[in-house]
Amino acid sequence: MTIKSCPVQPPAWSKQQLRKLFLDCDGDGDGLLTKEEIKKAFRNLGAVIPGYRAWEGLKRADANKDGCVSHDELDALIDYADKLQYTSGTN
């Protein structure tokens, strides 16, 4: 009888790790995340369609509708990414 082992799923990114990732993608350091910067973050997370994830994340997080995610809006973007359960094994 052969016993097959189940693959171990790597842990999901923590909210703290997601925060750091998004902040690191603020390329110009202006404290605002553009759609392109959010797209880069989702690409780094291993998203299959990072452009869609950026659009959806921006739609959910951009409370003042200025087209960017500010530090005040960042928690909503992190909550969205956290629900998607990216793991270090998906990059």
Side-chain angles (χ1 to χ4, degrees), residues 49-79:
I49 308 172
Y52 171 77
R53 292 296 176 203
W55 174 80
E56 188 67 34
L58 188 60
K59 184 173 82 169
R60 292 171 185 242
D62 184 16
N64 65 4
K65 306 297 183 211
D66 66 352
C68 298
V69 173
S70 67
H71 284 280
D72 293 337
E73 300 166 325
L74 187 57
D75 285 340
L77 180 60
I78 291 168
D79 287 343

Side-chain angles (χ1 to χ4, degrees), residues 28-40:
D28 56 8
D30 65 354
L32 298 172
L33 291 169
T34 64
K35 183 179 176 190
E36 285 304 311
E37 290 169 335
I38 296 168
K39 182 178 175 179
K40 178 181 176 183

